[in-house]
Amino acid sequence: MRDVAIVAFAQTDHLRQTDELSEVEILMPVLHQVLDATGLRASDIGFTCSGSSDYLAGRAFSFTMALDGVGANPPISESHVEMDGAWALYEAWVKIQTGQADTALVYSYGKSSPGEVRDVLTRQLDPYYVGPLWPDSVALAALQAQALIDAGDTDETALAAIAHRSRVAAADNPHAQLKGAVPAGDYVVRPLRTGDCPPVGDGAAAVILAAGDTARALCPRPAWIRGIDHRIEAHSLGVRELTDSPSTRLAATRAGAFERPVDTAELHAPFTSQEVVLRKALRLDDSVDVNPSGGALAANPVMAAGLIRLGEAAARIHRGESDRALAHATSGPCLQQNMVAVLEGESAHA
Amino acid sequence: MPETLSAPLVVEFPFTRSLGPVQSAFLTGLRERTVLGVSTAGGKVLVPPVEYDPVTAEELRELTEVAATGTVTTWAWNPAPRPAQPLATPFAWVLVRLDGADTALLHALDAPGPDAVHSGMRVRIRWAAERTGAITDIACFEPYDGGDTGQSAPHDGEFTDPVTGIVTPARLDYRYTPGRAQSAYLDALSRQHIVGERCPSCHKVYVPPRGACPTCGVATTEQVEVGPRGTVTTFCIVNIKAKNLDIEVPYVYAHIALDGADLALHARIGGIPYDQVRMGLRVEPVWTEGGRHPDHYRPTGEPDADYDAYKELL
Ligand SMILES: [Zn+2]
């Protein structure tokens, strides 16, 4: 295995609406930021991979427009996933492992403001038995939350405390959309209240990956990806054990997360109840700083929020605030698909 | 800076899916008020049925009939139903394990309020009056006070006139905003001007501008008026009439390099017989009353452009 690290990370300010900007216009500043941070030019990058969804934009092949922002002509080595950018990062990591690239630019963006994201996300559901009922993303999360409450794993007060802790932490995050004390609010779909749900917003993120000595040359303290793995569960909700996340646990095991304690965990939990599930699956106790960025409850640009977890964890290592961090990304309803990466600074076990 | 443009954008499509033997039996069964699951080698009954065991990935074909009554395993109260959801009045989303099944089905429960719903409550299917072989043949669930019968029995899955495919219509409503560069382009078009944007790095002028130079990866910011005249760089002759288009075939569709632009845009050529259109032909836009962009381009009567003048734009 090659040593691969995240050497740069940038994200936009996440905003409820960005009517004045197209997707590529949202994206370009973060692309320039990660390139400037490493001193690389677009033509130096070995592989480029992006994550986004046509369903957010309401247009086919919308990612091709965003490609203008990376300088795709003359032709570059490029790929795209119709998923969160965390999965684009995984593809780029695999590409570097194959030896076909030493550096990769990974970016993702989500502009949710043109549509109703609760309705849009129903189109990713099983089209035979579930999609025709249009259960929205909050409804599905609420079913999981009620299952947790019934199992005695949490209650509405504990969920509100997760929301509070996240948004207070986000006060130090200049990019966050929701920060500071946020009222619990009314039920959106009971038992979830507005405070338990993520903000709807637009935003983008970018990272640069590099291998071995290239990473050391580009970044004073690279965030080495010591392990990364992703797993999926059965698509039918009624088959799954909603109060647990065996796919997260398995991905974490394969990524080596349980070999030594982590000091930081960036969890992609857009709903408060999902943090309860993930903490259990990942066996995180109070010694771990969970979502110091505020997490997806503070900023949830769909398709970028998972990549941002990897980026936030890496940035803490770059800044010397963490030695060993866990980053998690999810996709699909009720934590259907989960990715776990373990990131370390060079001195962690020197 | 023109004001931010915005327009409704509706995406509608009939999502057409074919069904395999298991899904066909299940959905046809709903039409006949019969609920079928599928049995696994491990002795579990999965409802709704799937074609492959979620644990072993083994192919599943053995159908089992279960009851139309069941138990709520979890629920969520929906105070404000969204447009296409099963009930228009507040309802509970429920996962229901039907009697005789080992897994749960997602649907809606018609109940007077959240206080009337709890996990473990007994419910039964309320069938839709008109059934076509779709999950919506279950109108919803309703409270029921009978006990769990645990009832299941083998079923051959045979029905007359089985449903082999479904169509699920989808409609999503968006509000499209074109962003800074394209807004400026559309704003100029409304005044019958065509503007591009120049890349600060390679100095190419892009039209229509998309906000970034695809070669340099930087924002194109300097607005440049181009045309109105231009040169045909390449073209094709269209012989098939498009649906809802009242242009007589054959007609010519061409790439046109507007004077001052470094990228050709495409448009229809008119005002000249289709078989006389050629590379190098000089053309100009024709605007129709109230049109939001040029209807077509016509010959200017100038001599043809030299090949060398536009060969870089092919
Ligand atoms: Zn340029």
Side-chain angles (χ1 to χ4, degrees), chain A residues 17 19-20 25 28 32 55 68 71-73 114 116 118-119 128-129 133-134 136 139 143 146-147 150 188-190 238, chain B residues 23 26 48-49 74-77 79 82 84-86 93 104 106 119 135 174-175 177 180-181 210-211 213-215 217:
Chain A
Q17 259 170 258
D19 286 359
E20 69 288 3
E25 289 164 349
M28 248 182 313
H32 293 162
Y55 280 77
D68 286 351
N73 179 51
E116 289 286 341
R118 286 174 67 184
D119 297 329
Y128 303 98
Y129 302 157
L133 306 174
W134 293 77
D136 59 278
L143 284 167
Q146 185 63 44
D150 287 340
V188 184
V189 180
R190 183 173 167 166
Chain B
Q23 290 175 316
F26 175 69
T74 187
W75 63 284
W77 185 256
R82 303 176 76 78
Q85 292 178 346
W93 289 106
L106 178 78
S119 297
I135 192 66
Y174 298 90
R175 193 178 45 83
T177 55
R180 182 198 55 78
R210 300 207 302 232
C213 172
T215 299

Side-chain angles (χ1 to χ4, degrees), chain A residues 11-349:
Chain A
Q11 62 183 314
T12 59
D13 290 348
H14 305 292
L15 302 168
R16 178 62 188 89
Q17 259 170 258
T18 52
D19 286 359
E20 69 288 3
L21 298 175
S22 67
E23 281 87 343
V24 70
E25 289 164 349
I26 292 173
L27 191 57
M28 248 182 313
V30 296
L31 296 172
H32 293 162
Q33 278 175 46
V34 289
L35 291 168
D36 289 350
T38 53
L40 293 171
R41 297 150 52 99
S43 53
D44 300 327
I45 297 288
F47 182 59
T48 297
C49 198
S50 61
S52 66
S53 173
D54 283 351
Y55 280 77
L56 291 175
R59 281 175 300 143
F61 295 100
S62 56
F63 76 94
T64 59
M65 298 292 212
L67 262 179
D68 286 351
V70 300
N73 179 51
I76 59 170
S77 173
E78 180 271 336
S79 184
H80 174 258
V81 297
E82 190 77 9
M83 272 188 96
D84 190 291
W87 275 263
L89 182 147
Y90 188 91
E91 183 177 333
W93 178 82
V94 170
K95 188 82 170 183
I96 294 175
Q97 290 300 339
T98 64
Q100 292 183 48
D102 292 326
T103 54
L105 170 63
V106 178
Y107 64 89
S108 62
Y109 60 93
K111 194 174 174 183
S112 297
S113 59
E116 289 286 341
V117 73
R118 286 174 67 184
D119 297 329
V120 168
L121 290 176
T122 64
R123 299 303 92 193
Q124 71 181 335
L125 302 169
D126 154 30
Y128 303 98
Y129 302 157
V130 182
L133 306 174
W134 293 77
D136 59 278
S137 46
V138 182
L140 295 173
L143 284 167
Q144 186 171 34
Q146 185 63 44
L148 287 164
I149 291 170
D150 287 340
D153 286 346
T154 192
D155 56 35
E156 290 191 33
T157 309
L159 295 179
I162 291 170
H164 181 77
R165 194 208 72 237
S166 300
R167 271 98 187 218
V168 167
D172 296 330
N173 178 350
H175 305 289
Q177 186 178 339
L178 268 190
K179 51 181 98 179
V182 171
D186 296 330
Y187 287 118
V188 184
V189 180
R190 183 173 167 166
L192 295 180
R193 299 173 180 270
T194 49
D196 294 304
C197 301
V200 175
D202 302 348
V207 306
I208 288 179
L209 299 182
D213 287 341
T214 307
R216 292 184 188 93
L218 295 175
C219 177
R221 194 173 193 242
W224 297 103
I225 300 173
R226 297 300 185 203
I228 185 167
D229 194 276
H230 63 106
R231 300 283 157 169
I232 183 169
E233 296 182 27
H235 67 220
S236 176
L237 286 175
V239 170
R240 280 153 58 183
E241 174 53 72
L242 292 180
T243 60
D244 198 4
S245 183
S247 57
T248 299
R249 188 176 297 110
L250 181 55
T253 304
R254 299 294 179 113
F258 300 123
E259 288 165 14
R260 279 191 310 287
V262 296
D263 53 50
T264 302
E266 279 286 339
L267 305 181
H268 185 190
F271 297 93
T272 53
S273 43
Q274 294 178 338
E275 184 179 307
V276 176
V277 178
L278 293 171
R279 275 178 180 269
K280 179 158 81 171
L282 294 165
R283 299 180 209 136
L284 299 175
D285 59 28
D286 291 342
S287 70
V288 180
D289 198 349
V290 173
N291 288 347
S293 65
L297 283 161
N300 188 40
V302 176
M303 300 297 146
L307 181 63
I308 291 171
R309 304 281 71 74
L310 286 144
E312 289 279 11
R316 268 173 85 81
I317 288 170
H318 297 160
R319 293 192 299 261
E321 293 165 7
S322 168
D323 289 324
R324 180 171 157 91
L326 180 150
H328 160 269
T330 195
S331 186
C334 298
L335 302 170
Q336 184 188 7
Q337 303 170 57
N338 295 285
M339 175 182 296
V340 174
V342 176
L343 307 176
E344 281 184 358
E346 198 107 77
S347 62
H349 47 253

